[in-house]
């Protein structure tokens, strides 16, 4: 049976207003959601299962609050939901080591993840996990077809590249052409009844630590122009500053 | 406009179950993606898009509180939240779902035979078949007990004669639950599209609920088989049972309209500069916004508590009257005040407020007018009915 794992991460809603208190982001009042690129990963994992059979497991690392996104994944069709309890604030090395152990414990022939998380934007999890597992690695795919191997399309120089990916592999997903499926009431009711499997895995100590967090500089105030005489200047600014022409 | 993130000043979300929150968010996201970008065009064209029927069926929200026969058996609070999110999109959308679930599916579920339930409910829950509800007549609105539509027992079939008016979904419905007098007693009948002598012309020219189909139902020697009568109820209790559920849904639904109008007013007033400052910085505007928040919050608590009473079966119809009447009343006034805050921009379809305002004029009237609900409460308080001088 094909075991497929999809990695999902809980991040602040991309519309949320972020507040920083004493050098730390305060997420206490922020709505948390599944990282948007992970939704494409879940969709791809479900399509993989529909093509070849097997089982899809959604996996996340974090505290009990992260179970919401596992339930969200369950509501749209994954079979198992697993949360790894581990130390907080891990660096990429520690996290990828924990994930590699979890994938080995659960057993899988394909692992999908988003191309990057909406909070850090690092994009290191997929390749880093593949490296630790010694598996093939493909990043940023936008579509795929499935058999004994995976035929995936990813952006390349000047266009798209079609790739043959042998299994096992770790594949990170970009926004593709295919529509991401949405939950329905039946799925939500199944998710409510579903049990989250919780495992504890200790990772290596993190060597990279966060010293301070701050907001990006505020955007400068907008400029307004009136009358036809300003047209030349506006056109120049659109071309040279805004880079939209 | 910045995306809608809900309005929950009193943290009512903490009272909701995980399932209720997930269902609300599912409908909220769908309305944001599939309804709001298209609703103004739908109103302009006077159509209810068929893709909305399909999506509502796929989401599984039609007949939400009913259990079995393809229905999920959700809590009444979950049903209320569905109504709230749909009506945040448009009252026409919520009307479609209310009529389908509370007025057409519910009487079949509660008063129908096993065969009727098996035949109609799964297809109506999936959205494959649309239902409508025929009670109001051209001359009998608040006074349905005097309806003139009648059924005659012809031995091997019933013969229906009469006309119904203001029927949501009528023209697009495959199934009509029609109330008619058989030997002077009100009974429910299931009429199907294509039945001999039955037609459902659409009513045109509305300035309200434009993205909703409103129809007449005409029965001219309409022949229906004997197994199409609902055996489980006689008299006005039948239609009034349905209306209780639909009115309950409205008490939540209109909060969605009110939230949309509040959200638009807040966003607009923070960006609209007059006399060098955002108009949101002026006391008169803040007073209006504070009043809106106050009324929406009270309405939410009313709807939530009524939902819990619906779920544990301790409600009385007068409580539904109060919630429907109050919440429609404040939603309509919030829409008007929101339009005022938007100034001239408030009349444009760039903002949702005028559409909600026009819709709510209908919602104030249908499913028991504002005044009729006052009379229901007046009778409850005094023990004296004031509907008619004939009693």
């Amino acid at each position: 049976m094909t075991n497929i794992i999809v990695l999902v991460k809980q991040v602040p809603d991309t519309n949320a207003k972020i507040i920083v208190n004493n050098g730390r982001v305060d997420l206490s009042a922020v709505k948390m959601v599944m990282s948007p690129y992970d939704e494409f990963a879940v969709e791809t994992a479900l399509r993989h299962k529909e093509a070849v059979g097997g089982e899809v497991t959604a996996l996340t690392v974090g505290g009990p609050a992260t179970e919401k996104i596992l339930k969200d994944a369950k509501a749209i069709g994954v079979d198992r939901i697993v949360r790894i309890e581990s130390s907080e604030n891990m660096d990429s090395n520690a996290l990828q080591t924990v994930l590699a152990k979890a994938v080995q414990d659960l057993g899988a022939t394909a692992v999908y993840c988003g191309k990057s998380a909406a909070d850090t934007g690092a994009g290191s999890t997929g390749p880093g996990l593949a490296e630790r597992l010694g598996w093939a690695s493909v990043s940023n795919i936008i579509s795929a077809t499935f058999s004994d191997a995976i035929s995936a399309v990813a952006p390349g120089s000047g266009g798209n590249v079609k790739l043959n990916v042998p299994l096992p592999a770790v594949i990170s997903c970009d926004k593709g052409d295919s529509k991401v499926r949405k939950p329905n009431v039946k799925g939500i009711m199944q998710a409510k009844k579903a049990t989250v499997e919780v495992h504890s895995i200790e990772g290596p100590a993190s060597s990279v630590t966060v010293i301070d967090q701050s907001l990006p500089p505020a955007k400068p105030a907008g400029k307004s122009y009136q009358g036809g005489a300003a047209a030349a200047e506006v056109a120049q600014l659109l071309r040279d500053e805004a880079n939209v022409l | 406009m910045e995306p809608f993130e809900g309005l929950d000043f009193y943290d009512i979300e903490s009272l909701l179950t995980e399932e209720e929150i997930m269902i609300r968010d599912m409908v909220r996201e769908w309305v944001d993606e599939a309804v709001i970008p298209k609703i103004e065009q739908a109103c302009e064209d006077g159509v209810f898009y068929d893709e909305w029927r399909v999506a509502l069926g796929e989401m599984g929200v039609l007949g939400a509180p009913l259990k079995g026969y393809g229905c999920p058996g959700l809590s009444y609070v979950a049903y209320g939240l569905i109504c709230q999110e749909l009506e945040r999109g448009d009252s026409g959308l919520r009307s479609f779902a209310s009529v389908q679930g509370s007025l057409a599916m519910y009487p079949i579920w509660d008063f129908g035979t096993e065969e009727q339930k098996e035949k109609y409910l799964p297809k109506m829950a999936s959205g494959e078949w649309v239902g409508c509800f025929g009670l109001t007549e051209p001359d009998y609105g608040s006074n349905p007990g005097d309806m003139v539509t009648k059924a005659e027992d012809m031995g091997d079939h019933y013969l229906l004669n009469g006309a119904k008016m203001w029927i949501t979904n009528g023209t697009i419905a495959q199934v009509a639950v029609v109330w008619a007098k058989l030997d002077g007693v009100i009974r429910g009948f299931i009429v199907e599209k294509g039945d001999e002598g039955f037609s459902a012309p659409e009513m045109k020219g509305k300035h309200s609920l434009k993205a909703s189909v409103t129809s007449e139902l005409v029965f001219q020697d309409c022949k229906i088989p004997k197994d199409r009568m609902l055996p489980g109820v006689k008299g006005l209790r039948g239609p009034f049972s349905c209306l209780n559920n639909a009115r309950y849904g409205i008490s939540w639904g209109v909060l969605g309209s009110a939230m949309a109008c509040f959200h638009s007013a807040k966003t607009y007033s923070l960006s609209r500069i007059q006399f060098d400052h955002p108009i949101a910085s002026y006391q008169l505007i803040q007073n209006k916004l504070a009043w809106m928040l106050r009324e929406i919050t009270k309405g939410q608590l009313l709807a939530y508590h009524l939902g819990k009473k619906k779920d544990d079966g301790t409600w009385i119809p007068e409580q539904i009257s109060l919630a429907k009447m109050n919440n429609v009343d404040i939603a309509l006034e919030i829409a008007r005040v929101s339009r005022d805050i938007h100034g001239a921009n408030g009349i444009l379809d760039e903002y949702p407020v005028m559409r909600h305002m026009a819709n709510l004029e209908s919602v104030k009237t249908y499913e028991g007018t504002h005044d009729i609900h006052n009379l229901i409460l007046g009778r409850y308080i005094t023990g004296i009915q004031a509907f008619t001088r004939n009693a």
Side-chain angles (χ1 to χ4, degrees):
Chain A
M1 189 172 73
T2 308
N3 277 336
I4 301 161
I5 291 178
V6 57
L7 309 180
V8 291
K9 182 180 183 186
Q10 183 172 268
V11 299
D13 189 330
T14 47
N15 294 315
K17 192 175 178 190
I18 302 297
I19 298 167
V20 174
N21 278 329
N22 300 320
R24 286 289 179 275
V25 172
D26 180 1
L27 296 176
S28 57
V30 169
K31 184 183 173 193
M32 303 297 281
V33 298
M34 185 188 297
S35 185
Y37 289 118
D38 295 355
E39 294 182 15
F40 298 108
V42 175
E43 178 64 32
T44 310
L46 291 171
R47 284 170 185 248
H48 189 167
K49 175 195 155 179
E50 285 161 0
V52 303
E55 190 177 78
V56 176
T57 301
L59 175 69
T60 196
V61 179
T66 62
E67 290 183 7
K68 183 191 174 298
I69 59 163
L70 292 174
K71 293 287 181 87
D72 289 342
K74 179 72 187 169
I76 55 174
V78 306
D79 301 288
R80 289 172 70 192
I81 45 180
V82 178
R83 176 170 70 83
I84 304 298
E85 187 83 49
S86 194
S87 43
E88 287 184 13
N89 303 320
M90 286 185 283
D91 66 10
S92 296
N93 175 46
L95 176 68
Q96 288 159 19
T97 306
V98 167
L99 284 172
K101 177 77 168 56
V103 169
Q104 284 163 340
D105 290 350
L106 291 167
T109 46
V111 174
Y112 293 94
C113 60
K115 73 167 186 175
S116 62
D119 50 1
T120 60
S124 63
T125 301
L129 175 61
E131 166 67 19
R132 279 160 181 77
L133 293 167
W135 291 8
S137 172
V138 179
S139 295
N140 307 343
I141 70 159
I142 52 175
S143 70
T145 53
F146 311 95
S147 58
D148 293 340
I150 298 171
S151 176
V153 177
S157 307
N160 289 335
V161 181
K162 195 167 182 184
L163 302 158
N164 182 60
V165 188
L167 295 176
V170 182
I171 295 159
S172 80
C173 301
D174 197 351
K175 181 179 181 178
D177 300 330
S178 50
K179 219 174 159 187
V180 172
R181 69 195 70 189
K182 299 292 183 184
N184 60 20
V185 167
K186 198 173 159 196
I188 289 171
M189 292 174 79
Q190 284 172 350
K192 181 187 72 170
K193 290 184 207 139
T195 306
V196 179
E197 299 170 40
V198 182
H199 304 290
S200 286
I201 299 176
E202 273 311 305
S206 293
S207 54
V208 179
T209 54
V210 176
I211 299 165
D212 181 51
Q213 290 175 314
S214 60
L215 293 173
K219 282 184 189 167
K223 297 174 191 169
S224 69
Y225 296 88
Q226 285 188 341
E233 188 184 355
V234 170
Q236 185 223 322
L237 290 170
L238 288 172
R239 188 188 64 211
D240 298 340
E241 284 196 12
N243 294 322
V244 294
L245 294 183
Chain B
M1 201 189 309
E2 64 185 57
F4 179 77
E5 289 173 0
L7 181 63
D8 189 12
F9 190 57
Y10 266 38
D11 194 20
I12 290 164
E13 181 157 326
S14 65
L15 304 171
L16 303 177
T17 65
E18 182 186 22
E19 180 180 274
E20 287 162 353
I21 292 169
M22 287 175 83
I23 288 167
R24 180 201 62 192
D25 290 349
M26 170 188 74
V27 181
R28 178 174 292 174
E29 194 175 317
W30 177 73
V31 166
D32 282 337
E33 288 177 6
V35 178
I36 289 176
K38 298 179 174 178
I39 187 64
E40 298 298 346
Q41 191 61 50
C43 285
E44 175 121 9
D45 297 341
V47 293
F48 178 85
Y49 292 138
D50 195 52
E51 67 192 56
W52 293 340
R53 169 189 66 82
V54 173
L56 289 167
E58 284 175 353
M59 280 192 288
V61 298
L62 299 172
L66 308 180
K67 198 167 176 63
Y69 308 99
C71 307
L74 299 180
S75 69
Y76 269 94
V77 170
Y79 173 57
L81 289 162
I82 291 166
C83 290
Q84 172 189 295
E85 294 305 321
L86 293 179
E87 195 146 3
R88 187 174 62 81
D90 192 77
S91 300
L93 198 65
R94 200 268 309 137
S95 296
F96 176 90
S98 287
V99 169
Q100 178 83 349
S102 293
L103 298 184
M105 293 172 71
Y106 172 77
I108 296 171
W109 181 84
D110 202 8
F111 310 127
T113 63
E114 194 59 29
E115 291 73 24
Q116 289 168 343
K117 294 176 198 184
E118 295 279 2
K119 179 180 179 184
Y120 296 105
L121 293 178
K123 285 187 172 170
M124 295 173 83
S126 70
E128 185 183 341
W129 283 357
V130 174
C132 69
F133 174 87
L135 176 66
T136 298
E137 300 185 354
D139 294 327
Y140 298 94
S142 295
N143 177 22
D146 282 349
M147 68 172 65
V148 293
T149 299
K150 66 173 185 177
E152 289 174 84
D153 187 342
M154 308 302 285
D156 62 344
H157 65 274
Y158 292 111
L159 204 60
L160 285 181
N161 275 289
K164 302 290 180 179
M165 202 170 183
W166 307 110
I167 309 304
T168 299
N169 296 351
T171 310
I172 59 172
Q174 281 75 31
V175 183
V177 173
V178 177
W179 303 92
K181 282 182 176 166
L182 177 67
D183 299 325
V185 178
I186 294 173
R187 303 297 303 256
F189 298 89
I190 301 171
V191 181
E192 293 184 9
K193 190 172 205 157
D195 279 343
E196 188 183 331
F198 171 49
S199 60
E202 187 170 358
M203 296 170 67
K204 294 287 189 183
K206 291 177 295 175
H207 282 301
S208 172
L209 293 179
K210 294 181 75 167
S212 171
V213 174
T214 310
S215 314
E216 293 177 61
L217 306 182
V218 182
F219 310 97
Q220 287 179 313
D221 289 335
C222 172
K223 278 173 74 172
I224 59 168
K226 293 292 282 266
D227 63 3
R228 299 264 204 84
M229 186 167 75
L230 299 173
V233 73
K234 290 179 183 176
L236 278 173
R237 186 175 77 80
F240 283 179
S241 306
C242 308
L243 291 171
N244 277 327
N245 285 331
R247 290 165 178 174
Y248 164 75
I250 290 173
S251 73
W252 280 88
V254 292
L255 294 173
S257 295
M259 287 175 190
C261 292
F262 172 80
H263 180 66
S264 189
K266 176 186 144 190
T267 308
Y268 180 84
S269 63
L270 283 166
S271 63
R272 172 71 173 171
I273 309 292
Q274 288 292 283
F275 303 105
D276 302 326
H277 297 285
I279 61 171
S281 67
Y282 300 126
Q283 291 181 354
L284 282 172
I285 299 292
Q286 291 196 1
N287 186 46
K288 291 181 172 80
L289 293 172
W291 172 81
M292 289 182 188
L293 178 64
R294 173 167 56 121
E295 292 304 331
I296 290 170
T297 302
K298 288 192 290 188
Q300 285 175 304
L301 293 168
L302 203 60
Y304 174 78
H305 190 65
L306 183 59
K308 296 308 279 184
K309 292 186 79 60
K310 283 284 286 174
D311 280 328
D312 65 21
T314 59
W315 60 281
I316 58 172
E318 288 81 358
Q319 291 165 337
I320 292 179
S321 284
L322 188 144
K324 189 269 183 185
M325 175 178 67
N326 179 79
N327 287 5
V328 175
D329 201 28
I330 60 112
L332 177 56
E333 198 53 31
I334 285 167
R336 290 171 177 161
V337 173
S338 177
R339 208 290 307 149
D340 184 25
I341 290 173
H342 285 74
N345 282 306
I347 71 165
L348 296 176
D349 66 7
E350 190 180 335
Y351 301 93
V353 291
M354 193 92 172
R355 177 170 50 79
H356 281 300
M357 188 175 89
N359 283 340
L360 289 164
E361 293 286 354
S362 291
V363 181
K364 186 176 182 179
T365 292
Y366 73 20
E367 307 268 358
T369 68
H370 182 85
D371 287 344
I372 285 290
H373 288 299
N374 267 321
L375 295 181
I376 290 169
L377 289 169
R379 180 181 59 186
Y380 175 78
I381 296 163
T382 65
I384 306 165
Q385 74 80 24
F387 302 105
T388 172
R389 297 176 195 160
N390 298 331

